[in-house]
Amino acid sequence: MTRLAVRQRSTGRLMIFGFLSPTLAILLFMVAYPIFSLIYYSFFNFSALRPAAGMKPVGFGNYKFLLSDPDLWQRFIFTGKFVFLCVTLQMLIGIFVGYQLQKNFRGRDLIFTALMMPMMLSPVVVGFLWRYMFNSEWGMINYLLTVVGLPKIDWLGQTTAALWAAAAADTWMWTPFIILLATAAFRGIPETINEAAEVDGASPAYRFFRITLPMSAPVLFIALILRLIDSFKQYDLFFALTGGGPGSSTETVSFAVAKTAFSYFYTGEASALAVVLLVIIIGLSMILVRHLNKMGERF
């Protein structure tokens, strides 16, 4: 390699580093520093409300205390149920509706725009809206039940009913996101492939499960990963919808982090719990991304 080529390569690397350095600095300040601070505080008995008391090192004491707490495991179980229920409903409904919207028909754009509107709202607004709708006395949901002859349900006063109420609110808000990605993935499939399969006599079900779904699987898998991550750290919806009740039975892990940090001001324990949640989300994401890479190699 000539001296000129070496100099050009070095100059190119310096330019790349110069363009990336502002972004790297922002990420270092906005992401890396808070994460390392979180990990650091998790090893201390510390309260942000009483900084004068100092920070007492406890090693893994906060982690041992949290992981031996049966209430925390109940929150993990409830969070897992919520994530499974929401993501399953959103993927099934989103794929079905997205498959219908990828077809060209009159009024399609208007319907598509209307379906995207819930996604534009704040989760807190959605939580309060559905809280009024699920009111046990004058809510619209119970009114519709009485119209068809069914008894009223105390939606937000029972753990199981509150779980379904929260899943309904979250599904109403975030299914449009799945619809958006599914529609884009389906419309990205060349028409010639489906036309050739139709000429060969393939049924609509066969074309969907053997052609459309496999070819759009990478995009749908990305949507699945994003919704899993977001559902796992759900807090604001439950804050507005149930307040964590009845009792603390509808507290997610994120809700428990916020409650421990800003209601009880146990900063060390809250940091440890946040680290545990972060490790779970990162681990789950790495597993899913690995499967996504294998899927990309296949298709």
Side-chain angles (χ1 to χ4, degrees):
M1 184 179 294
T2 64
R3 183 177 299 178
L4 178 61
V6 172
R7 184 179 300 174
Q8 288 178 344
R9 174 173 292 185
S10 301
T11 304
R13 290 176 178 175
L14 287 174
M15 288 183 62
I16 293 173
F17 179 76
F19 284 124
L20 291 179
S21 56
T23 303
L24 292 175
I26 293 174
L27 287 176
L28 187 65
F29 178 74
M30 298 294 292
V31 178
Y33 175 73
I35 290 177
F36 285 118
S37 298
L38 189 72
I39 297 173
Y40 176 75
Y41 288 138
S42 69
F43 295 108
F44 290 87
N45 184 4
F46 170 65
S47 174
L49 192 64
R50 298 181 295 275
M55 298 172 60
K56 301 177 182 178
V58 294
F60 289 95
N62 288 327
Y63 293 96
K64 292 179 181 178
F65 173 76
L66 290 171
L67 296 178
S68 62
D69 184 6
D71 292 336
L72 177 61
W73 289 107
Q74 290 299 320
R75 293 185 178 101
F76 272 110
I77 293 173
F78 178 81
T79 304
K81 291 179 180 179
F82 173 75
V83 170
F84 176 78
L85 189 58
C86 288
V87 173
T88 301
L89 289 173
Q90 291 167 26
M91 291 301 297
L92 291 177
I93 298 173
I95 290 173
F96 174 77
V97 177
Y99 184 69
Q100 304 303 320
L101 289 177
Q102 58 98 20
K103 305 172 184 176
N104 292 318
F105 57 88
R106 188 174 182 180
R108 171 189 170 276
D109 293 339
L110 181 62
I111 296 174
F112 187 83
T113 303
L115 288 175
M116 293 300 110
M117 292 178 66
M119 190 173 60
M120 311 301 172
L121 299 176
S122 166
V124 175
V125 174
V126 173
F128 280 117
L129 173 64
W130 282 81
R131 183 173 184 173
Y132 294 137
M133 293 175 62
F134 280 117
N135 186 280
S136 59
E137 296 299 326
W138 42 264
M140 188 182 70
I141 304 298
N142 274 344
Y143 171 75
L144 295 176
L145 291 178
T146 57
V147 168
V148 296
L150 296 175
K152 292 182 177 181
I153 299 175
D154 187 9
W155 290 101
L156 306 180
Q158 304 174 22
T159 303
T160 303
L163 172 62
W164 282 96
D170 192 75
T171 300
W172 178 79
M173 180 177 183
W174 288 113
T175 299
F177 176 73
I178 307 298
I179 294 174
L180 179 66
L181 293 185
T183 304
F186 294 152
R187 291 180 70 87
I189 299 174
E191 286 290 336
T192 53
I193 297 177
N194 281 310
E195 291 174 356
E198 188 176 1
V199 170
D200 290 339
S203 64
Y206 182 90
R207 296 200 304 270
F208 176 76
F209 287 105
R210 294 300 182 91
I211 298 175
T212 304
L213 204 56
M215 293 190 68
S216 57
V219 177
L220 297 178
F221 207 73
I222 292 175
L224 174 65
I225 293 174
L226 295 176
R227 287 307 306 140
L228 276 173
I229 294 174
D230 191 64
S231 298
F232 239 106
K233 56 188 183 67
Q234 186 64 260
Y235 162 74
D236 34 14
L237 177 66
F238 283 95
F239 173 80
L241 183 63
T242 67
S248 59
S249 59
T250 60
E251 289 184 4
T252 60
V253 180
S254 295
F255 198 105
V257 172
K259 189 175 181 180
T260 305
F262 303 114
S263 295
Y264 303 142
F265 291 97
Y266 297 150
T267 308
E269 294 178 12
S271 300
L273 183 54
V275 170
V276 172
L277 180 61
L278 179 65
V279 169
I280 292 174
I281 292 177
I282 291 176
L284 182 63
S285 301
M286 290 177 63
I287 294 173
L288 293 175
V289 168
R290 181 174 298 179
H291 284 286
L292 178 63
N293 292 334
K294 293 180 179 178
M295 192 177 298
E297 293 174 359
R298 184 183 303 175
F299 299 105

